[in-house]
Amino acid sequence: MKPRPLPDELLLALAREHGTPLFVYDGATIIARARELLDLRASSGRGFDVVRYAQKANPNLAILRLLRSQGCHVDAVSGGELRRALAAGFEARDVLFCADLFDHDALELLAGHPFQLNAGSPFMLAQYAQANPPRRDIVLRVNPGFGHGHARKVTTGGEHSKHGIWHADLPDVAREARQLGLDVVGLHVHIGSGSDLEHLSQAAAALVRAAPLFAPTLRSLSAGGGLPLPYRAGETRFACRPLAEVWDRARTRGEGELGRALRLELEPGRFLVAEAGALRAQARGHKRAGSVEYLFVDAGFHNLVRPAMYGAHHEISVLGRDAQPRVPLAVAGPLCESADVFTQVKGGALEPRPLPRAQPGDVVCFHAAGAYAAAMASGYNSQLLAAEVLVHNGVARLVRPRQTHEALLRPELDLLE
């Protein structure tokens, strides 16, 4: 299901009303992606029992509430995200805390609310038990010994990843959990963002192999997230049905081993929100450096860090200039960093794109920027955080105002005055 794109006239009007840089999210696309997974069924007729949104992709409260309205649960990785989940209306029991360590804030919250723990490190079990939490049933995140993602920095399995409990340590962890009076009711695996079906299938097999260690208490398997997205024009969309088939077969094998029904969870983040969002910036001018022509815009990696961090690709367009001739342009932002260029590949080499030669004031769009953009934004160079707008049911609503210079400076001024 592919919702109709938001009209250019609306996007231009929003840029005029709210200024740039500006994030605009399409609620219809978020709902379509959620329904795609919530309604997904394998040939057995069974699907994922829980679709749990990994809110680190985009924790805006309006988006959290929209996904809650569709029946999604939620994942949190910090005390702040636990608070966001509650503010968005999620019941504490529907929130899974997934981390590789506790800070004091998160542990206090877990001790005071019936959130469920997904522990990614063995040392967490004793710390959790000593906190006397209201829940003694926990989930374990497993590192199966391998990982796979679209970049090394988002590969979350194998010995070069800090995430998860190493597979060979699971027997010891199972014994410790029993000694501490903790019931391991779920196993979770996430090997990387932008993985493929082959590696996701291997991850499913790894969880099934681990399941007998927790036979007396195990009730669920989680497939994690990492579903690929077509960031480049013309790329084929990831087929979700084969993933459901893989995990349903894994669940069936696990049920045969344990002699009981198992619940199946999926934990997507960017799959649900990336395509729904775009970053709108304003063209400010051109200049040439030898053979390279640069188009400068008022957004930078403080708004969208993925190209600078991962060499990630985002399609770029200029509103109202589709019919214009295209020339190779390197698109750069305002920050005092050579890495502040949107058109680069892994390793940082420039990759100029064929684009219309935008004029100062034109609106330049960075597409599929609904995930890991606003969520990873910074105030580098004392830049202000961008405004965010959600368009839903024909209504455009400001869901986060642009940060002000007063809000940026006041906490420091208060300490000096």
Side-chain angles (χ1 to χ4, degrees):
M1 185 190 307
K2 186 174 182 180
R4 183 177 301 173
L6 297 175
D8 285 0
E9 295 79 9
L10 173 62
L11 299 175
L12 287 167
L14 291 173
R16 286 192 296 269
E17 180 180 358
H18 298 289
T20 54
L22 173 70
F23 288 101
V24 180
Y25 307 120
D26 178 23
T29 299
I30 295 173
I31 290 173
R33 295 287 82 82
R35 296 315 321 171
E36 183 177 353
L37 299 180
L38 288 162
D39 299 336
L40 190 61
R41 292 289 180 269
S43 56
S44 66
R46 299 197 295 178
F48 291 98
D49 300 294
V50 174
V51 174
R52 188 180 297 280
Y53 174 51
Q55 66 170 296
K56 60 183 175 286
N58 189 323
N60 189 285
L61 288 177
I63 289 175
L64 290 176
R65 290 184 178 184
L66 183 60
L67 287 166
R68 179 174 62 83
S69 75
Q70 298 303 304
C72 292
H73 291 199
V74 72
D75 162 279
V77 299
S78 70
E81 286 194 354
L82 289 172
R83 289 183 169 86
R84 277 190 176 270
L86 294 178
F90 286 97
E91 296 291 334
R93 287 194 165 273
D94 292 336
V95 182
L96 184 70
F97 178 75
C98 181
D100 293 287
L101 61 88
F102 297 119
D103 60 21
H104 294 294
D105 180 44
L107 194 53
E108 270 187 33
L109 286 165
L110 288 164
H113 297 80
F115 301 117
Q116 187 166 46
L117 170 65
N118 181 5
S121 297
F123 61 78
M124 296 175 71
L125 273 63
Q127 294 174 2
Y128 181 70
Q130 290 164 11
N132 195 27
R135 293 186 71 157
R136 309 293 290 190
D137 56 323
I138 66 171
V139 176
L140 299 181
R141 177 171 178 171
V142 177
N143 183 330
F146 63 90
H148 187 259
H150 68 77
R152 182 185 62 80
K153 292 179 181 178
V154 295
T155 295
T156 54
E159 63 183 16
H160 297 292
S161 171
K162 66 177 184 176
H163 297 295
I165 297 172
W166 191 250
H167 58 99
D169 294 336
L170 288 173
D172 291 338
V173 172
R175 282 191 292 272
E176 183 179 8
R178 288 193 294 273
Q179 292 166 1
L180 292 169
L182 301 176
D183 292 334
V184 178
V185 298
L187 294 178
H188 167 279
V189 65
H190 176 59
I191 58 171
S193 183
S195 190
D196 56 30
L197 188 62
E198 177 185 353
H199 289 88
L200 295 171
S201 300
Q202 293 171 15
L207 277 202
V208 173
R209 287 195 297 272
L213 292 169
F214 307 95
T217 55
L218 193 67
R219 295 291 183 273
S220 69
L221 301 176
S222 173
L227 281 62
L229 281 178
Y231 278 98
R232 294 178 183 269
E235 284 184 339
T236 303
R237 289 194 62 81
F238 179 72
C240 294
R241 175 76 181 272
L243 180 70
E245 297 283 358
V246 162
W247 276 97
D248 187 55
R249 288 194 294 271
R251 168 171 50 189
T252 299
R253 291 196 300 275
E255 290 172 339
E257 289 265 3
L258 304 180
R260 76 171 68 90
L262 291 174
R263 186 174 69 171
L264 196 56
E265 295 199 6
L266 185 65
E267 189 187 274
R270 67 184 186 137
F271 183 88
L272 293 174
V273 294
E275 295 165 289
L279 172 62
R280 319 294 170 178
Q282 187 182 87
R284 302 303 300 156
H286 292 256
K287 78 175 181 184
R288 184 171 289 278
S291 62
V292 179
E293 183 176 357
Y294 288 88
L295 166 62
F296 284 87
V297 298
D298 63 358
F301 71 58
H302 61 298
N303 306 117
L304 176 58
V305 75
R306 297 184 74 253
M309 181 173 285
Y310 310 127
H313 180 95
H314 288 265
E315 290 291 303
I316 302 172
S317 63
V318 183
L319 291 184
R321 299 284 182 185
D322 288 344
Q324 298 287 327
R326 295 172 178 262
V327 295
L329 296 173
V331 184
L335 302 180
C336 189
E337 290 281 347
S338 294
D340 190 30
V341 177
F342 291 102
T343 49
Q344 59 179 292
V345 296
K346 294 172 186 177
L350 291 183
E351 185 184 57
R353 306 263 188 91
L355 294 167
R357 187 175 275 113
Q359 299 304 306
D362 282 349
V363 176
V364 179
C365 298
F366 300 89
H367 298 275
Y372 302 106
M376 298 177 74
S378 75
Y380 185 57
N381 287 176
S382 291
Q383 294 279 354
L384 302 178
L385 297 177
E388 299 174 54
V389 169
L390 174 65
V391 181
H392 183 44
N393 290 335
V395 177
R397 181 161 61 98
L398 184 69
V399 293
R400 181 170 181 168
R402 187 175 310 284
Q403 188 180 32
T404 65
H405 289 289
E406 170 68 14
L408 180 67
L409 297 173
R410 178 48 54 192
E412 297 169 56
L413 289 171
D414 286 345
L415 295 174
L416 295 175
E417 293 173 354

Coordinates of all heavy atoms in Angstrom, one line a residue, residues 364-411:
V364 N 14.2 22.8 -0.9 CA 14.9 21.5 -1.2 C 14.4 20.4 -0.2 O 14.4 20.7 1.0 CB 16.4 21.7 -1.1 CG1 17.1 20.4 -1.4 CG2 16.9 22.8 -2.1
C365 N 14.1 19.3 -0.7 CA 13.5 18.2 0.1 C 14.5 17.0 0.2 O 15.0 16.6 -0.8 CB 12.2 17.7 -0.4 SG 10.9 19.0 -0.5
F366 N 14.7 16.5 1.4 CA 15.4 15.3 1.7 C 14.4 14.3 2.1 O 13.8 14.4 3.1 CB 16.5 15.5 2.7 CG 17.5 16.6 2.4 CD1 17.2 17.9 2.7 CD2 18.6 16.3 1.6 CE1 18.1 18.9 2.3 CE2 19.5 17.3 1.3 CZ 19.3 18.6 1.6
H367 N 14.3 13.3 1.2 CA 13.2 12.3 1.4 C 13.5 11.2 2.3 O 14.7 10.9 2.6 CB 12.7 11.8 0.0 CG 12.2 12.9 -0.8 ND1 10.9 13.3 -0.8 CD2 12.8 13.7 -1.8 CE1 10.7 14.3 -1.7 NE2 11.9 14.5 -2.3
A368 N 12.5 10.4 2.8 CA 12.7 9.3 3.7 C 13.5 9.7 4.9 O 14.4 9.0 5.4 CB 13.3 8.1 3.0
A369 N 13.2 10.8 5.5 CA 13.9 11.4 6.7 C 13.0 11.3 7.9 O 13.2 12.1 8.8 CB 14.4 12.8 6.4
G370 N 12.1 10.4 8.0 CA 11.3 10.3 9.2 C 11.9 9.5 10.3 O 11.4 9.6 11.4
A371 N 13.0 8.8 10.0 CA 13.7 8.0 11.1 C 15.1 8.4 11.2 O 15.8 8.7 10.2 CB 13.6 6.5 10.7
Y372 N 15.6 8.5 12.4 CA 17.0 8.8 12.8 C 17.4 10.1 12.1 O 18.5 10.3 11.6 CB 17.9 7.6 12.4 CG 17.5 6.4 13.0 CD1 16.9 5.3 12.4 CD2 17.8 6.2 14.4 CE1 16.5 4.2 13.0 CE2 17.4 5.1 15.1 CZ 16.7 4.1 14.4 OH 16.3 2.9 15.0
A373 N 16.5 11.1 12.2 CA 16.8 12.4 11.7 C 16.6 13.4 12.8 O 17.5 13.7 13.6 CB 16.0 12.8 10.5
A374 N 15.3 13.8 13.0 CA 15.0 14.6 14.2 C 15.4 13.9 15.5 O 15.8 14.6 16.5 CB 13.5 14.9 14.2
A375 N 15.3 12.6 15.5 CA 15.6 11.8 16.7 C 17.1 12.0 17.1 O 17.5 11.9 18.3 CB 15.3 10.4 16.6
M376 N 18.0 12.2 16.1 CA 19.4 12.3 16.4 C 19.9 13.8 16.2 O 21.1 14.0 16.1 CB 20.2 11.4 15.4 CG 19.8 9.9 15.6 SD 20.6 8.8 14.4 CE 22.3 8.8 15.0
A377 N 19.0 14.7 16.1 CA 19.4 16.1 15.9 C 20.2 16.6 17.1 O 20.1 16.2 18.2 CB 18.2 16.9 15.7
S378 N 21.0 17.6 16.8 CA 21.9 18.2 17.8 C 21.9 19.8 17.7 O 21.3 20.3 16.7 CB 23.4 17.7 17.6 OG 24.0 18.4 16.5
G379 N 22.5 20.4 18.6 CA 22.6 21.9 18.6 C 24.0 22.3 18.2 O 24.5 23.4 18.6
Y380 N 24.7 21.5 17.4 CA 26.1 21.9 17.0 C 26.1 23.2 16.3 O 25.2 23.5 15.6 CB 26.6 20.8 16.1 CG 28.1 21.0 15.7 CD1 29.1 21.1 16.7 CD2 28.4 21.1 14.4 CE1 30.4 21.3 16.3 CE2 29.8 21.3 14.0 CZ 30.7 21.4 15.0 OH 32.0 21.6 14.6
N381 N 27.1 24.0 16.6 CA 27.3 25.4 16.1 C 26.1 26.3 16.7 O 25.8 27.3 16.1 CB 27.3 25.4 14.6 CG 28.6 24.9 14.0 OD1 28.7 24.9 12.7 ND2 29.5 24.6 14.7
S382 N 25.5 25.9 17.8 CA 24.4 26.6 18.4 C 23.3 26.8 17.4 O 22.5 27.8 17.4 CB 24.8 28.0 18.9 OG 25.6 27.8 20.1
Q383 N 23.1 25.7 16.5 CA 21.9 25.7 15.6 C 20.7 25.3 16.4 O 20.8 24.6 17.4 CB 22.2 24.7 14.5 CG 23.3 25.1 13.6 CD 22.9 26.1 12.5 OE1 21.7 26.4 12.4 NE2 23.8 26.6 11.7
L384 N 19.5 25.8 16.0 CA 18.3 25.5 16.7 C 17.7 24.2 16.1 O 17.8 23.9 14.9 CB 17.3 26.6 16.5 CG 17.7 28.0 16.9 CD1 16.7 29.1 16.6 CD2 18.1 28.0 18.4
L385 N 17.0 23.4 17.0 CA 16.3 22.2 16.6 C 15.1 22.6 15.7 O 14.4 23.6 16.0 CB 15.8 21.5 17.8 CG 16.9 20.9 18.7 CD1 16.2 20.2 19.9 CD2 17.8 19.9 18.0
A386 N 14.9 21.9 14.6 CA 13.9 22.2 13.6 C 12.5 21.9 14.1 O 12.3 21.1 15.0 CB 14.1 21.4 12.3
A387 N 11.5 22.6 13.6 CA 10.1 22.4 13.8 C 9.7 21.1 13.2 O 10.3 20.6 12.2 CB 9.2 23.5 13.4
E388 N 8.6 20.4 13.7 CA 8.1 19.2 13.1 C 6.6 19.4 12.9 O 5.9 19.9 13.8 CB 8.4 18.0 14.0 CG 9.9 17.8 14.2 CD 10.2 16.7 15.2 OE1 9.6 15.6 15.1 OE2 10.9 17.0 16.2
V389 N 6.1 18.9 11.8 CA 4.6 19.0 11.5 C 4.2 17.6 11.1 O 4.8 16.9 10.3 CB 4.4 20.0 10.3 CG1 3.0 19.9 9.8 CG2 4.7 21.4 10.8
L390 N 3.0 17.2 11.6 CA 2.3 16.0 11.2 C 1.1 16.3 10.4 O 0.2 17.1 10.8 CB 2.0 15.1 12.4 CG 1.2 13.9 12.2 CD1 2.0 12.8 11.4 CD2 0.7 13.3 13.5
V391 N 1.0 15.7 9.2 CA -0.2 15.9 8.3 C -1.0 14.6 8.5 O -0.5 13.5 8.1 CB 0.2 16.1 6.9 CG1 -1.1 16.3 6.0 CG2 1.1 17.4 6.8
H392 N -2.2 14.7 9.0 CA -3.1 13.5 9.2 C -4.5 13.9 9.0 O -5.0 14.9 9.5 CB -2.8 13.0 10.7 CG -3.6 11.8 11.0 ND1 -3.6 10.7 10.2 CD2 -4.3 11.4 12.1 CE1 -4.4 9.7 10.7 NE2 -4.8 10.2 11.9
N393 N -5.2 13.0 8.2 CA -6.6 13.3 7.9 C -6.8 14.7 7.3 O -7.8 15.4 7.6 CB -7.5 13.1 9.1 CG -7.6 11.6 9.5 OD1 -7.4 10.7 8.7 ND2 -7.8 11.4 10.8
G394 N -5.9 15.1 6.5 CA -6.0 16.4 5.8 C -5.7 17.6 6.6 O -5.8 18.7 6.1
V395 N -5.2 17.4 7.9 CA -4.9 18.5 8.7 C -3.4 18.5 9.0 O -2.9 17.5 9.4 CB -5.7 18.4 10.1 CG1 -5.3 19.5 11.0 CG2 -7.2 18.5 9.8
A396 N -2.8 19.6 8.9 CA -1.4 19.8 9.2 C -1.2 20.4 10.6 O -1.8 21.5 10.8 CB -0.7 20.7 8.1
R397 N -0.6 19.7 11.5 CA -0.5 20.2 12.8 C 1.0 20.3 13.3 O 1.7 19.3 13.1 CB -1.3 19.2 13.7 CG -1.3 19.6 15.2 CD -2.4 18.9 15.9 NE -2.3 17.5 15.8 CZ -1.8 16.7 16.8 NH1 -1.4 17.3 17.9 NH2 -1.7 15.4 16.7
L398 N 1.3 21.4 13.9 CA 2.7 21.5 14.5 C 2.8 20.6 15.7 O 2.0 20.7 16.6 CB 2.9 23.0 14.9 CG 4.3 23.3 15.4 CD1 5.3 23.2 14.3 CD2 4.3 24.7 16.0
V399 N 3.7 19.7 15.6 CA 3.8 18.7 16.7 C 5.1 18.9 17.5 O 5.4 18.3 18.5 CB 3.7 17.2 16.2 CG1 2.3 17.0 15.7 CG2 4.8 16.9 15.2
R400 N 6.0 19.8 17.1 CA 7.1 20.3 17.8 C 7.5 21.6 17.3 O 7.8 21.8 16.1 CB 8.3 19.3 17.7 CG 9.5 19.8 18.6 CD 10.6 18.7 18.7 NE 11.7 19.2 19.5 CZ 12.7 18.4 20.0 NH1 12.7 17.2 19.7 NH2 13.6 18.9 20.7
P401 N 7.5 22.7 18.2 CA 7.9 24.0 17.7 C 9.4 24.1 17.4 O 10.2 23.4 18.0 CB 7.4 24.9 18.8 CG 7.5 24.1 20.0 CD 7.2 22.7 19.6
R402 N 9.7 25.1 16.6 CA 11.2 25.3 16.4 C 11.7 25.8 17.7 O 11.1 26.6 18.4 CB 11.4 26.4 15.3 CG 12.8 26.6 14.9 CD 13.0 27.6 13.8 NE 12.1 27.2 12.7 CZ 12.3 26.1 11.9 NH1 13.5 25.5 12.0 NH2 11.5 25.8 10.9
Q403 N 12.9 25.3 18.1 CA 13.6 25.8 19.3 C 13.9 27.3 19.1 O 14.1 27.8 18.0 CB 14.9 25.0 19.5 CG 15.6 25.3 20.8 CD 16.9 24.4 20.9 OE1 17.5 24.2 19.9 NE2 17.2 24.0 22.1
T404 N 13.9 28.0 20.2 CA 14.2 29.4 20.2 C 15.6 29.7 20.7 O 16.1 28.9 21.5 CB 13.2 30.3 21.0 OG1 13.3 29.9 22.3 CG2 11.7 30.0 20.5
H405 N 16.2 30.8 20.4 CA 17.5 31.2 21.0 C 17.3 31.4 22.5 O 18.3 31.1 23.2 CB 18.0 32.4 20.3 CG 18.5 32.2 18.9 ND1 19.6 31.4 18.6 CD2 18.0 32.5 17.7 CE1 19.8 31.3 17.3 NE2 18.8 32.0 16.7
E406 N 16.2 31.9 22.9 CA 16.0 32.1 24.3 C 16.0 30.7 25.1 O 16.7 30.6 26.1 CB 14.6 32.7 24.6 CG 14.1 32.8 26.0 CD 14.9 33.7 26.9 OE1 15.7 34.5 26.4 OE2 14.8 33.5 28.1
A407 N 15.3 29.7 24.5 CA 15.3 28.4 25.1 C 16.7 27.7 25.1 O 17.1 27.0 26.0 CB 14.4 27.5 24.4
L408 N 17.5 28.1 24.0 CA 18.9 27.5 23.9 C 19.8 28.1 25.0 O 20.6 27.4 25.6 CB 19.4 27.8 22.5 CG 20.8 27.3 22.2 CD1 20.9 25.8 22.2 CD2 21.3 27.9 20.9
L409 N 19.7 29.4 25.2 CA 20.6 30.1 26.0 C 20.2 30.3 27.5 O 21.0 30.4 28.4 CB 20.9 31.6 25.5 CG 21.5 31.6 24.1 CD1 21.5 33.1 23.6 CD2 22.9 31.1 24.1
R410 N 18.9 30.2 27.8 CA 18.4 30.5 29.1 C 19.0 29.7 30.2 O 19.4 30.2 31.3 CB 16.9 30.5 29.1 CG 16.2 30.7 30.5 CD 16.7 32.0 31.2 NE 16.7 33.2 30.4 CZ 17.3 34.3 30.7 NH1 18.1 34.3 31.8 NH2 17.2 35.4 30.0
P411 N 19.1 28.3 30.0 CA 19.7 27.5 31.1 C 21.1 28.0 31.6 O 21.4 27.9 32.7 CB 19.7 26.1 30.6 CG 18.6 26.1 29.6 CD 18.7 27.5 28.9

